[in-house]
Amino acid sequence: MPYVDRQNRICGFLDIEEMESSGKFLRRYFILDTLEGSLVWYMDNPQNLPEGTSYVGSLKLIYISKVSDATKLRPKAEFCFVINAGMRKFYLQANDKQDLVEWVSALNNATKITVPKSGEQVAHNTAEACVDTLGAAKQVSYKTEIIAGVPIITTTQEKGEGQNGADKSGMRKPPGQLPFYLSRSNQDQSVIKAGYCVKQGAVMKNWKRRYFLLDDNALSYFKSDMEREPLRIIPLKEVNKVQECKQSDLMMRDNLFELVTTSRTFYIQSDSPDEMHGWIKAISGAIVAQRGPGRSAASMRQARRLSNPCIQRD
């Protein structure tokens, strides 16, 4: 779902058909800034990109004439809507029906009094540029269209994988898709929640997008949803608490929560407030289900010490 960030901007992930009529949708992070009068999109949440990373596309709100449901226009694109801007139509895919309704409403509300004046001239100027995407070895070609004097940047060709984990074909993965390689023992377990979040590293303190999977016994995270082995498995019995991060003001990150274990505190950022609260609720519920009501990690450790006379007591 779109959410309002610290700067009072509406933000969230959508899939966009950057090359018109290509049918190829790519995952992008959108920011609707009514104060700046613009809609911009990035490869990922700018908080997770190197400082100074520019957006990959932008559109001035003043040139948006209408935003509407496009399910009938693109029957193969689920939860699709269209932005009409001058001579160009931008087709986007939301995550679900509610996400679609909220984005269409937010965009229409932001453009109610910014309909283009009649008689405005539209000029076209196409420029091809090959740039290095966020310092990686992947090359992306962009097309710049000048619509009513405003440059609109769109991708004409993309090689490789984007920073946000989009696959090479650019097709959107269903929400919560699970890794295909799960063993039989893991498949027999109840998967409670799965999806992408951003996690802070233990040593370098950098932020990387990881695929998280919560089951009855542990929270695991992978480099992507196609990896064979998890980067780490965090047993729920080692988790002392999970809560919205109190240090988020210091880190200047939205939707941040912390997972406190016996050995380390994990800082995890979700894509929206709903996702953050969903993860906190799911993890807390799994812990309660495993330990039973009212049994904290500290009380369980105390119980183990008392039940084993060989363990020296404080």
Side-chain angles (χ1 to χ4, degrees):
M1 299 300 111
Y3 69 96
V4 180
D5 70 359
R6 297 172 184 273
Q7 301 178 50
N8 203 34
R9 305 175 302 180
I10 297 175
C11 307
F13 280 97
L14 292 167
D15 300 321
I16 182 171
E17 185 186 52
E18 291 191 326
M19 185 175 180
E20 193 171 6
S21 301
S22 67
K24 181 178 180 180
F25 287 80
L26 299 174
R27 195 72 163 168
R28 297 289 182 254
Y29 185 85
F30 284 76
I31 297 178
L32 173 58
D33 192 336
T34 54
L35 292 179
E36 293 292 333
S38 64
L39 176 69
V40 297
W41 51 98
Y42 294 79
M43 296 290 290
D44 196 357
N45 188 329
Q47 295 178 347
N48 307 323
L49 298 174
E51 186 176 355
T53 301
S54 181
Y55 51 77
V56 296
S58 67
L59 180 61
K60 284 290 185 180
L61 299 183
I62 194 172
Y63 300 115
I64 297 178
S65 58
K66 184 181 179 182
V67 184
S68 58
D69 189 317
T71 304
K72 294 182 179 179
L73 297 176
R74 293 293 179 88
K76 294 184 178 180
E78 194 175 18
F79 312 123
C80 185
F81 65 96
V82 59
I83 298 176
N84 292 274
M87 300 293 291
R88 172 76 192 271
K89 291 184 177 181
F90 293 86
Y91 286 91
L92 302 100
Q93 281 182 295
N95 297 311
D96 52 42
K97 184 64 177 179
Q98 184 180 351
D99 194 37
L100 183 153
V101 171
E102 292 186 6
W103 271 110
V104 170
S105 176
L107 287 164
N108 277 324
N109 287 336
T111 57
K112 276 183 178 179
I113 58 174
T114 59
V115 178
K117 297 178 182 179
S118 60
E120 284 186 324
Q121 295 182 351
V122 179
H124 297 277
N125 181 23
T126 302
E128 298 290 342
C130 204
V131 299
D132 186 18
T133 306
L134 305 180
K138 306 173 183 65
Q139 299 296 317
V140 182
S141 295
Y142 291 95
K143 177 177 68 176
T144 302
E145 294 180 278
I146 307 300
I147 298 181
V150 178
I152 299 177
I153 307 171
T154 56
T155 305
T156 58
Q157 183 180 3
E158 179 167 338
K159 300 178 181 179
E161 182 180 339
Q163 293 292 324
N164 63 336
D167 60 350
K168 293 181 180 180
S169 65
M171 298 304 293
R172 180 166 61 100
K173 295 183 177 65
Q177 181 178 341
L178 304 181
F180 71 95
Y181 55 82
L182 289 179
S183 64
R184 176 60 58 185
S185 60
N186 282 334
Q187 288 178 349
D188 292 340
Q189 294 178 348
S190 174
V191 175
I192 300 171
K193 187 173 177 62
Y196 279 95
C197 292
V198 178
K199 184 190 70 69
Q200 186 186 53
V203 180
M204 300 299 293
K205 303 301 180 183
N206 53 346
W207 296 81
K208 292 185 178 180
R209 186 168 291 275
R210 295 290 182 246
Y211 186 80
F212 285 78
L213 188 149
L214 173 67
D215 59 36
D216 292 332
N217 297 310
L219 176 68
S220 306
Y221 59 86
F222 306 76
K223 189 173 182 180
S224 75
D225 60 351
M226 299 300 291
E227 290 296 313
R228 292 186 173 275
E229 297 294 335
L231 296 174
R232 183 162 187 159
I233 298 175
I234 308 171
L236 295 181
K237 64 183 180 181
E238 295 182 3
V239 178
N240 295 329
K241 62 181 177 180
V242 55
Q243 63 185 10
E244 185 172 356
C245 186
K246 303 301 182 182
Q247 299 183 33
S248 59
D249 289 337
L250 299 177
M251 294 183 177
M252 291 302 294
R253 284 183 171 267
D254 300 306
N255 319 317
L256 190 68
F257 66 96
E258 58 184 3
L259 188 75
V260 182
T261 71
T262 54
S263 60
R264 174 186 166 188
T265 297
F266 295 84
Y267 295 104
I268 305 170
Q269 182 185 22
S270 301
D271 290 339
S272 69
D274 289 342
E275 273 294 297
M276 177 190 69
H277 293 303
W279 276 108
I280 293 174
K281 182 178 179 181
I283 296 171
S284 300
I287 292 172
V288 171
Q290 184 188 70
R291 301 172 184 170
R295 302 190 67 188
S296 64
S299 65
M300 292 189 71
R301 289 196 299 272
Q302 179 70 7
R304 285 197 293 270
R305 285 198 296 269
L306 294 175
S307 64
N308 189 344
C310 297
I311 299 177
Q312 184 178 359
R313 302 173 188 170
D314 294 335

